[in-house]
Amino acid sequence: MYTVSSTMITKTIAAGGKWSSHIASGKNLTFTALEDGANVSLLLYNASDTAERYNMPDTLKAQHTAHLTKGNVLMSDNGRVLASITEDSLGWHDSISGYSTRKQINEKFGVTTYQEQRNDWYRSGEENFSVELFRNGLTVRDLVPVVNLFSKVFCDEEGDMHFASGHCKKGDTITLRTEMDVILILSNTPNPLDKSTAYPSVPVKLTVTEAEAVLENDICLNHRPENRRAFENTWEYTQLTRGGRN
């Protein structure tokens, strides 16, 4: 379900749902958890050249972090900024645990099928991404590590990953600002490390609005020197290919 006005699109992504769209640069994408325990897996691609996409290792290495929050950017494999995190009520979003697979969902929550349960069957990130990638001219060969919005996954001293239950509460939000024209692909499916015994997926609202121009004091631009260089790479690319704003 979604509503449209001259300046805003608001869409609710149902539990287990998926969605994708081409989104122009200079948009705010605000995600709101409508219940406790949200997890939305996210992929980003350059809309003009899908060979360029979100790169998890470069994003984390350049910003000296293993999780994402306000001030961080999502970098591509070409050293450019696909999107920036401009607002965040949680302070931690998972960048390392990946997306849920059909095998994981079946083992944790039982085997369900569309033929038997219809829209109540338990979807996986693997299947949702496969469908939305195909709709955008891509295939499962284009799957890369995802960002799991609203989830906290941390590592202990032995390097084992742990999911923080109860991290996301109803009403929590995160806002991404698109810095390039992108293909956004979403899967509202469980984090693969979530130990819930019941299928843990809740509705999430996505609101798209116009973003203000990036100013010199922008928190994402100034978060690290590497961020500024990535922004400069992005602005140069945009000017050369589309004559866009910076």
Side-chain angles (χ1 to χ4, degrees):
M1 180 181 69
Y2 66 91
T3 58
V4 181
S5 70
S6 59
T7 59
M8 182 174 63
I9 294 175
T10 300
K11 179 177 180 64
T12 298
I13 305 169
K18 60 189 184 302
W19 187 72
S20 64
S21 181
H22 288 233
I23 300 179
S25 63
K27 306 295 182 188
N28 285 325
L29 315 178
T30 299
F31 297 84
T32 304
L34 299 183
E35 297 177 25
D36 295 351
N39 181 84
V40 174
S41 301
L42 175 152
L43 291 169
L44 283 174
Y45 301 81
N46 178 346
S48 299
D49 179 6
T50 55
E52 180 176 12
R53 65 278 308 267
Y54 167 69
N55 185 285
M56 180 264 277
D58 287 354
T59 294
L60 303 185
K61 176 180 65 176
Q63 298 176 96
H64 297 199
T65 186
H67 66 274
L68 299 170
T69 185
K70 182 177 179 178
N72 290 137
V73 300
L74 307 185
M75 293 185 183
S76 78
D77 42 4
N78 286 344
R80 295 190 276 258
V81 183
L82 294 164
S84 304
I85 303 177
T86 58
E87 298 293 341
D88 177 22
S89 69
L90 279 162
W92 190 304
H93 299 265
D94 167 40
S95 62
I96 59 177
S97 69
Y99 51 85
S100 58
T101 65
R102 169 47 47 196
K103 183 174 184 292
Q104 289 170 335
I105 296 298
N106 286 350
E107 290 177 349
K108 288 185 176 182
F109 311 113
V111 176
T112 60
T113 64
Y114 175 77
Q115 289 74 14
E116 294 180 357
Q117 280 81 21
R118 296 299 180 183
N119 287 333
D120 291 330
W121 75 296
Y122 297 155
R123 298 168 175 84
S124 70
E126 179 181 42
E127 290 157 319
N128 280 354
F129 284 136
S130 297
V131 172
E132 295 303 316
L133 285 166
F134 181 78
R135 287 176 174 170
N136 289 279
L138 301 166
T139 73
V140 292
R141 295 180 64 182
D142 296 292
L143 268 171
V144 293
V146 301
V147 176
N148 286 311
L149 303 180
F150 300 109
S151 286
K152 180 177 181 177
V153 173
F154 62 94
C155 294
D156 60 24
E157 294 297 326
E158 285 71 45
D160 295 322
M161 294 191 295
H162 300 276
F163 179 83
S165 299
H167 176 62
C168 171
K169 302 299 184 183
K170 178 179 179 180
D172 277 325
T173 64
I174 178 173
T175 298
L176 306 183
R177 181 183 62 210
T178 55
E179 310 296 352
M180 296 173 61
D181 296 347
V182 297
I183 298 173
L184 170 71
I185 302 181
L186 304 174
S187 179
N188 187 4
T189 42
N191 187 290
L193 298 183
D194 193 328
K195 296 188 179 300
S196 300
T197 55
Y199 184 77
S201 183
V202 304
V204 171
K205 181 174 70 174
L206 168 62
T207 303
V208 182
T209 59
E210 294 289 341
E212 296 182 357
V214 178
L215 301 178
E216 181 58 32
N217 64 350
D218 185 82
I219 186 173
C220 300
L221 174 65
N222 293 291
H223 183 70
R224 289 199 54 78
E226 292 86 349
N227 289 33
R228 180 174 288 271
R229 289 197 290 271
F231 269 98
E232 290 171 349
N233 292 339
T234 305
W235 295 336
E236 178 182 72
Y237 171 81
T238 303
Q239 291 291 339
L240 290 173
T241 58
R242 290 185 292 279
R245 71 178 181 90
N246 61 23

